[in-house]
Structure formats: structure tokens, C-alpha cells
Amino acid sequence: MTDREELIQKYKAKVKRDLEASSRSPSVGYESSVYLKFKKALMPKKLNIYEKLCNLSESIVKINPGENAKKEIQKAIDTCHLEATPEGTQSFAIILPMLIIILGAIVSFVIPALLGFAPSLFFLFFFLILGLVLILILRNLPSFFASKWKMAASNQMIISIFYIVTYMRHTSNLENAIAFASEHLTGPLSLDFKRILWQVENQKYESLSEALDIYLIQWQEDNSEYVEAIHLIES
């Protein structure tokens, strides 16, 4: 038996155990509150802090990134489940570096003047360069988070297909199959599936098929095979 076949058998055995456990418990149901509770528990603290800083920055100064950049930033925000706006992310990318530059000016001029020393141009240029570099980094932070999220989710794609297909062989219901997979997967892909169900429950999309199609757009360039596999399951 090849390594590939051993891996497939391992996944099949795991899915079978989970499916048997699910059949002994109440049917796979889904409440709209599940996604929100799961998101709160799963989201890394750094993302929660980033969300709050972006929203706070937007309330101080709202900076419009432009229509083209706004669409790309919104895609990244949606990918990693951030509760922020493109304007908020860009406001934070400007406000924090500006505060650092202002702090640098105080350290370089005000404090030396109060102590009777000459101004320090070294510290002034240091904080100025640091602020400019931070602007470039923070403006691209949503894309960085989205890339990390996709990388983590891509590691779960094979087992997610096993879960969905195995459940549908047991019960031909795509919504329950997605719910079943979301309960037994871990990490980003589980949260993605829970959000799809949450969007349907809250009537953001009219059907599960529509919600899935919208979700799969983000994977079209990165993993077209996964998109095709989901579409085959839908068919």
C-alpha cells in the first residue's frame, strides 16, 4: 500500500468514527449563534486587538483607500473574518505611524530643550523613517492576515471533502453535510463553513448554493481543484 493510499484509509477511518458518533447523538443542527460564539473563541487575540484598533482609528479619522484598493482590502477582511472596514484599516495604518513620528519629534526637540540640551536630529530621522515604514506595513496587514488564514485553511481541504462526501453518502443533504464538516474540522476552515451556514440562516444569501459560490470565489486562483470538488458535490 502506497503512502497516498494509507493516508486516504486513515482519513476514511476517522470520518467513519465521527459519522458514527454523530448518528448516536442528535441530528446535526445549526443555530445562527453558533458561528458568533465559535468565532469569538477561535479568533486569535492579535486579530481581535487589531479589529478594535481599526474601529477606534476610524472613529477618529476616516481615511478612504480608493475604490480599487477598497475592494481588495474588503476581500482580505472577509477572508479572515475581521469585523473592520477598509477605511478603518487604512486609518489605523496612518494614525499609529503619525503618533510615532510626533513622539519622535517630542523626544528629539521638546525633551532636550527642557533639559537644556541641543535637539537630536538622529532620533528625529529615526522615528520619521520608522513611521514611514510602519505605514507601508500596516496598509498591507489585512492581506497578510488573509494569506496566513488561507494557508491554514488549505491544510484542511482534503479532510473537509471526505467529511462532506461521507456524510452525503449517509444522508443526501448538503446543508447538514457542511454543518457536520464544520463541527469536526478545526481552525479556519471550520469557521468558514460555520459562517456560510450563518449567512444562510440570517438570509444574507437566499440559498446555501449561493453562499458557497460566493465563498469559493476566494479560492478560484489559489486552489481551483477544491472549487471544482465542491461544485461536483453540489451537482
Side-chain angles (χ1 to χ4, degrees):
M1 184 179 291
T2 64
D3 292 341
R4 180 174 176 271
E5 291 173 340
E6 288 180 359
L7 183 62
I8 291 173
Q9 292 301 323
K10 178 182 175 182
Y11 279 139
K12 283 184 176 180
K14 185 178 186 302
V15 173
K16 184 178 180 180
R17 289 195 301 270
D18 291 336
L19 189 58
E20 289 173 351
S22 177
S23 64
R24 290 194 296 269
S25 62
S27 60
V28 180
Y30 190 83
E31 297 177 358
S32 60
S33 60
V34 171
Y35 165 67
L36 300 177
K37 291 178 181 178
F38 193 73
K39 177 179 180 294
K40 186 177 180 181
L42 183 66
M43 287 288 281
K45 289 184 178 179
K46 62 183 179 182
L47 287 183
N48 290 327
I49 294 171
Y50 179 67
E51 286 176 347
K52 293 176 182 178
L53 290 173
C54 289
N55 293 328
L56 176 62
S57 300
E58 185 179 4
S59 67
I60 297 172
V61 178
K62 188 173 183 178
I63 298 176
N64 193 328
E67 286 303 316
N68 291 333
K70 185 176 180 178
K71 290 178 181 178
E72 292 301 317
I73 297 169
Q74 188 61 57
K75 284 170 60 178
I77 287 173
D78 292 340
T79 296
C80 50
H81 301 250
L82 285 173
E83 291 183 10
T85 64
E87 291 82 2
T89 62
Q90 299 309 290
S91 296
F92 176 62
I94 298 298
I95 289 177
L96 179 61
M98 288 303 297
L99 289 175
I100 290 174
I101 292 172
I102 292 170
L103 176 63
I106 293 173
V107 171
S108 303
F109 286 95
V110 178
I111 294 178
L114 292 174
L115 298 176
F117 297 108
S120 174
L121 293 178
F122 171 78
F123 279 110
L124 178 62
F125 282 112
F126 172 77
F127 282 103
L128 179 61
I129 293 172
L130 178 62
L132 294 175
V133 170
L134 275 177
I135 288 175
L136 295 176
I137 294 174
L138 294 176
R139 288 184 67 182
N140 294 306
L141 207 53
S143 297
F144 172 74
F145 287 141
S147 296
K148 285 194 68 177
W149 190 278
K150 282 187 174 182
M151 190 177 298
S154 63
N155 294 330
Q156 303 172 310
M157 286 182 171
I158 294 176
I159 186 64
S160 74
I161 295 296
F162 272 113
Y163 275 129
I164 294 171
V165 170
T166 304
Y167 186 90
M168 290 192 70
R169 283 180 177 175
H170 177 267
T171 304
S172 184
N173 184 300
L174 182 59
E175 185 170 350
N176 281 356
I178 295 291
F180 175 76
S182 73
E183 291 300 324
H184 293 88
L185 290 169
T186 58
L189 204 54
S190 175
L191 188 57
D192 285 351
F193 282 178
K194 281 180 167 60
R195 180 174 60 182
I196 290 170
L197 296 169
W198 178 79
Q199 289 170 336
V200 177
E201 288 287 329
N202 287 271
Q203 299 181 344
K204 181 175 181 179
Y205 300 112
E206 293 183 0
S207 66
L208 180 67
S209 179
E210 182 183 359
L212 270 174
D213 288 344
I214 297 296
Y215 168 71
L216 291 172
I217 289 173
Q218 64 180 300
W219 293 108
Q220 191 62 56
E221 293 182 2
D222 300 303
N223 198 325
S224 60
E225 293 85 359
Y226 183 67
V227 175
E228 291 174 6
I230 296 294
H231 284 156
L232 282 172
I233 293 171
E234 285 185 277
S235 299

